[in-house]
Amino acid sequence: MNDEQKKEEQNTQENLDWKDKFSDLVQTCQTELKKTTKIGMKMISATQSNSQLHECYEEIGKWLVEEYNSGNIQVDNERIEGLISRVSDLNSQLSDYEKEVQEIKKG
């Protein structure tokens, strides 16, 4: 085998090595992309569940305040009574803000 054949064989081997390395890199990237996609899907599902949980808590809270204000249930818990009082105060503030906005619009 002459020098030219040796160089050609070496170049061929280097090209094969490069192709193998590139193939490994592509495979690694695909694997990581699949993992990232799965994580993203789980995060979306978790966000949706968290949103639904928040909606349920909000619905329970609204129901509790309505039932408390209508006298259908009695609460003997300072924390709950404080939260219900705070809800009432915040609703009053929001109502006042809405009135002020309407006056500004008319103004």
Side-chain angles (χ1 to χ4, degrees):
M1 191 183 294
N2 63 28
D3 286 342
E4 194 171 305
Q5 288 175 333
K6 287 181 181 179
K7 285 181 182 180
E8 188 174 314
E9 188 176 306
Q10 186 177 3
N11 284 340
T12 302
Q13 185 60 41
E14 286 175 2
N15 283 339
L16 290 175
D17 289 346
W18 181 85
K19 287 178 183 178
D20 287 344
K21 288 178 184 178
F22 182 75
S23 179
D24 287 346
L25 177 64
V26 169
Q27 183 66 32
T28 300
C29 289
Q30 288 175 336
T31 301
E32 290 302 314
L33 182 60
K34 286 178 185 177
K35 284 185 199 177
T36 302
T37 301
K38 285 182 181 180
I39 290 169
M41 296 292 283
K42 293 295 180 186
M43 294 298 288
I44 289 170
S45 296
T47 299
Q48 291 170 340
S49 294
N50 190 43
S51 178
Q52 291 172 359
L53 179 63
H54 177 77
E55 289 170 5
C56 288
Y57 278 130
E58 185 175 333
E59 190 173 330
I60 289 170
K62 286 180 180 179
W63 174 83
L64 177 65
V65 170
E66 289 171 3
E67 292 296 305
Y68 178 82
N69 288 338
S70 67
N72 292 334
I73 59 173
Q74 298 291 319
V75 176
D76 189 23
N77 183 298
E78 288 182 22
R79 183 170 182 216
I80 293 174
E81 288 175 343
L83 289 170
I84 290 173
S85 176
R86 182 76 177 134
V87 165
S88 179
D89 292 344
L90 291 169
N91 276 327
S92 179
Q93 285 178 10
L94 289 172
S95 179
D96 291 345
Y97 293 145
E98 180 62 27
K99 288 177 189 174
E100 291 172 11
V101 166
Q102 292 305 320
E103 288 177 14
I104 292 170
K105 285 182 178 179
K106 290 178 186 176

